[in-house]
């Protein structure tokens, strides 16, 4: 069978070409061929307090400069389903077999609706993939509601703790692009706002996935 398995960013993509341009024979298949990116919000007070807020007072020393760095580096970990506070929203669908390098950069809006009264400490990103060219349609999800995979999920901790009530919404946009110096890294700009009964906030944050 003529196929190319995609499991990350290849050298050809970094050089400005998609994988199919460098390695795939004519009429070959890229597998998986379809992917989708999803976003939700989670409660994660314990981790944020222990690993991020900790730097505000390290045995009475102010090391908050490290807190800023810790916030900018997303955590890749397995999140429990019970931590999910809002709906899960589709951010983007990608046809991997036809993607061009510039398709890896995009800005997309989101609207997350709280499913219960709770606190939001982070937004969580995960992906699903499908193998539509196979004899039988198959695929899998890396989301927290599915069986855990080694890809886990990507957690973006927020500067603010959002106090949210059921039915209230967090709205915003997410901008994603390969880092200019190292295209294997991913730069993320997150804009979000909440205008709720107990919490009003509007903020912009930057992250780098290494």
């Amino acid at each position: 069978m003529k196929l190319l398995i995609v499991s990350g960013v290849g050298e050809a993509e970094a050089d400005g070409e998609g994988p199919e341009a460098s390695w795939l024979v004519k009429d070959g298949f890229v597998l998986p061929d379809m992917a989708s990116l999803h976003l939700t919000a989670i409660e994660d007070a314990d981790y944020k307090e222990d690993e991020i807020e900790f730097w505000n007072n390290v045995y009475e020393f102010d090391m908050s400069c490290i807190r800023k760095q810790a916030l900018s580096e997303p955590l890749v970990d397995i999140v429990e389903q019970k931590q999910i506070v809002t709906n899960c929203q589709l951010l983007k669908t990608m046809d991997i077999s036809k993607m061009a390098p510039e398709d890896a950069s995009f800005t997309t809006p989101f609207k997350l609706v709280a499913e219960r009264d709770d606190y939001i400490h982070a937004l969580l990103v995960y992906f699903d993939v499908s193998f539509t060219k196979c004899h039988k349609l198959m695929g899998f999800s890396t989301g927290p509601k599915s069986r855990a995979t080694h890809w886990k999920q990507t957690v973006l901790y927020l500067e603010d703790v959002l106090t949210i009530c059921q039915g209230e919404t967090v709205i915003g946009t997410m901008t994603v692009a390969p880092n200019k110096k190292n295209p294997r890294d991913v730069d993320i700009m997150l804009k979000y706002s909440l205008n709720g009964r107990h919490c009003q906030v509007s903020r912009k944050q930057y992250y780098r996935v290494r």
Side-chain angles (χ1 to χ4, degrees), residues 85-87 111-118 120 163-171 194-200:
V85 178
T86 70
N87 64 307
K111 180 180 180 180
L112 301 175
V113 183
E115 297 179 340
R116 64 174 185 262
D117 296 351
D118 211 329
I120 293 175
T163 304
I164 197 166
C165 299
Q166 185 176 12
E168 293 181 346
T169 59
V170 179
I171 61 173
L194 168 64
N195 186 21
R197 282 180 282 168
H198 305 296
C199 183
Q200 297 81 41

Side-chain angles (χ1 to χ4, degrees), residues 84-111:
I84 298 174
V85 178
T86 70
N87 64 307
C88 298
Q89 179 172 332
L90 172 66
L91 290 178
K92 186 175 177 63
T93 299
M94 293 155 281
D95 185 340
I96 301 173
S97 63
K98 298 179 181 178
M99 283 186 68
E102 57 269 21
D103 294 333
S105 302
F106 60 88
T107 297
T108 184
F110 63 83
K111 180 180 180 180

Side-chain angles (χ1 to χ4, degrees), residues 24-69:
L24 192 63
V25 299
K26 184 179 180 181
D27 299 324
F29 297 111
V30 176
L31 298 175
D33 57 307
M34 297 296 295
S36 56
L37 195 65
H38 302 260
L39 182 72
T40 188
I42 63 169
E43 181 280 328
D44 200 4
D46 291 343
Y47 183 92
K48 191 179 184 198
E49 183 63 30
D50 293 344
E51 304 296 334
I52 295 179
E53 304 302 344
F54 163 80
W55 296 107
N56 287 326
N57 186 343
V58 183
Y59 305 106
E60 300 186 1
F61 287 93
D62 181 359
M63 301 183 67
S64 55
C65 58
I66 298 180
R67 176 186 180 277
K68 182 178 179 181
Q69 182 64 29

Side-chain angles (χ1 to χ4, degrees), residues 113-127:
V113 183
E115 297 179 340
R116 64 174 185 262
D117 296 351
D118 211 329
Y119 301 97
I120 293 175
H121 299 89
L123 299 189
L124 179 145
V125 184
Y126 64 94
F127 66 89

